[in-house]
Structures are given as C-alpha cells and as structure tokens.
C-alpha cells in the first residue's frame, strides 16, 4: 500500500512561527514535524510515499528528506500551487496511486502514538470504501465530528456547535481508488476550498465509511498550544 502525506497550507494559526517556514518543518522534539509522518508510514511497512506541499517550501523538504533513501523509503513530491484545501491536495495523488489501488493519507501536522500497522491490515481486508481514525476528545466542536448510528458513521459534521458525539475525525484517512471519482463531484465550500469532510460524507452516504479508534495520544498540532502539547508527548517518548 502506498502513502500520501499532505504538508501544504499557510499555517496561519501558528504565526509568527510560520512566517519563517512551513509549519510541518517546525521542530517537534529532535526532528521537524514532517519526520514523524514519514516514520509512521515506514514503521507500518509503507515505503512508497508522495509528499504534497506548497511551492514556497518544496526546496526545504527535498533538502531534508531527499529521495527518502536515508530513511528507508522512496519519496515523490507534488506541488500544490495555492492553498485549495485538503481534498484538492489529495487530487494531486491520483497519478501516483494508480488505478484500483488502496492507500493511506496523513495530514503532516497530526502526530499520534498508535502504530498504523493494525489499521492498515484492517483496511486491506475491507472490500471497498474508505476508513477514518477517530479519537475521543474533550472539545469535539473544534473538529469534524462523526455521527454514529448502529456502529457506523452516517455523517460527519464539521465544527458543529452541538456535537453529536465526543469523537474527532483525525487526519489519518484510508481510501480506495474511487476517491478520485468522488473528488470530481465535490464543489468548493464557502471559503473556496475542496473539503475533505465532503469526500468522507460521500462515502458515509453510501454506507462505505468504516472507522477505528485511536487508543493513545493524538494531537492536531495546528496551534501554538497544540504544538507545545505535541512536543511534550514526543519528548516523553524519546526520553523513554
């Protein structure tokens, strides 16, 4: 199975740090943030990786990661010309993934403790559709929130004022090749971006969106507070 890491965006919530560099290159523990996504995929057996980033920082990524050989993986790069949303960035992966292939996609600012390997195995045995990873959080209204009925996701509400569950949809997604057809049916949201929630809801509507739950810590390191939280978790792990 191939892997895709999305590492674009403007990082507006992390300014002024991101006035200097892309947020996925900010240090977390001993390494840049992007390092952990690459390692999570490698440790799960995913060796072919596409990294999607903006043109302003592409050179910095190639300087650090190179071809990926020193990390035991093969990295291909794709450039998102402007910030058009997660789903638009995903569309750049179609040629890399190929026809009739399943793949895993990570948002590069999501850091987590669980191994991806058991989730990959579950998705490989899933006949069709998509799968997302959930995490129970104290503030679900900040995230995409799954509406769960009879053990399945029937809908995902984006940043709802009154969440219908205490779970967040994390930035770890598993898709079959149908996702590229789904993307072509999506329309930009009010903020002018193609939204990944719309993609996932298209699967949910057909009853093809499975889920699993993360057991250990997970951080969406997109704010100063959550970046600090990620650093604390990572340092604790690295120090043993």
């Amino acid at each position: 199975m191939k892997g895709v890491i999305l590492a674009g965006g403007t990082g507006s919530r992390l300014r002024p740090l991101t006035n200097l560099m892309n947020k996925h290159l900010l240090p977390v523990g001993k390494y840049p943030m992007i390092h952990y996504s690459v390692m999570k995929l490698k440790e799960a057996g995913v060796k072919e990786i596409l990294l999607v980033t903006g043109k302003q920082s592409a050179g910095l990524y190639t300087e650090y990661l190179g071809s990926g050989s020193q990390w035991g993986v093969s990295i291909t790069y794709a450039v998102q010309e402007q910030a058009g949303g997660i789903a638009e960035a995903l569309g750049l992966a179609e040629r890399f993934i190929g026809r009739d292939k399943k793949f895993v996609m990570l948002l590069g600012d999501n850091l987590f403790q669980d191994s991806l390997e058991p989730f990959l195995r579950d998705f490989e045995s899933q006949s069709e559709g998509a799968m997302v990873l959930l995490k129970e959080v104290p503030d679900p209204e900040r995230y995409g929130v799954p509406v769960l009925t009879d053990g399945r996701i029937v809908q995902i509400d984006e940043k709802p004022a009154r969440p219908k569950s205490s779970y967040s949809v994390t930035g770890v997604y598993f898709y079959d090749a149908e996702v590229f057809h789904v993307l072509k049916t999506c329309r930009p949201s009010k903020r002018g971006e193609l939204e990944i929630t719309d993609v996932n809801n298209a699967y949910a509507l057909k009853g093809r969106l499975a889920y699993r739950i993360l057991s250990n810590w997970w951080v969406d390191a997109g704010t100063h507070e959550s970046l600090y939280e990620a650093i604390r978790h990572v340092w604790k792990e690295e120090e043993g």
Side-chain angles (χ1 to χ4, degrees), residues 108 118 183:
L183 282 169

Side-chain angles (χ1 to χ4, degrees), residues 166-193:
S166 59
Y167 290 97
S168 161
V169 176
T170 71
V172 185
Y173 313 92
F174 301 82
Y175 294 111
D176 61 10
E178 185 187 354
V179 71
F180 299 111
H181 299 290
V182 173
L183 282 169
K184 292 176 175 62
T185 69
C186 292
R187 297 291 177 265
S189 64
K190 291 180 180 179
R191 61 178 185 166
E193 296 186 357

Side-chain angles (χ1 to χ4, degrees), residues 44-55:
V46 178
K47 303 294 181 65
E48 294 182 71
I49 299 170
L50 175 71
L51 192 147
V52 182
T53 189
K55 58 185 177 181

Side-chain angles (χ1 to χ4, degrees), residues 16 59 79 96 109 114 117 144 155 185 193 196:
V79 174
F96 173 79
D109 58 358
D114 291 66
E117 188 174 3
Q155 182 177 319
T185 69
E193 296 186 357
I196 199 67

Side-chain angles (χ1 to χ4, degrees), residues 126 128-131 152 176 178 202-210:
Q126 184 176 319
E128 62 181 0
M131 186 173 84
R152 67 185 184 94
D176 61 10
E178 185 187 354
Y203 279 100
L205 186 64
K206 297 178 181 179
R208 295 179 181 174
L209 183 61

Side-chain angles (χ1 to χ4, degrees), residues 10-128:
T10 60
S12 58
R13 295 178 297 165
L14 277 168
R15 288 177 181 156
L17 293 176
T18 48
N19 290 342
L20 301 173
M21 66 177 67
N22 181 286
K23 67 179 175 181
H24 305 87
L25 292 167
L26 293 172
V28 178
K30 299 177 182 178
Y31 302 100
M33 189 186 299
I34 192 65
H35 181 93
Y36 298 96
S37 293
V38 173
M39 290 300 102
K40 281 293 182 185
L41 291 174
K42 177 197 172 183
E43 290 162 6
V46 178
K47 303 294 181 65
E48 294 182 71
I49 299 170
L50 175 71
L51 192 147
V52 182
T53 189
K55 58 185 177 181
Q56 296 86 351
S57 303
L60 293 175
Y61 282 102
T62 58
E63 185 173 344
Y64 179 70
L65 294 170
S67 67
S69 59
Q70 64 176 319
W71 311 112
V73 297
S74 173
I75 299 177
T76 302
Y77 297 88
V79 174
Q80 188 178 20
E81 293 292 334
Q82 56 188 5
I86 294 171
E88 181 189 83
L90 169 57
L92 299 176
E94 184 172 8
R95 182 178 298 179
F96 173 79
I97 296 300
R99 299 177 62 183
D100 303 321
K101 300 289 186 180
K102 292 181 175 180
F103 65 100
V104 55
M105 182 177 80
L106 307 182
L107 303 188
D109 58 358
N110 276 227
L111 291 93
F112 52 93
Q113 185 177 13
D114 291 66
S115 168
L116 283 174
E117 188 174 3
F119 304 118
L120 282 168
R121 288 200 304 265
D122 286 350
F123 187 59
E124 284 174 338
S125 65
Q126 184 176 319
S127 61
E128 62 181 0

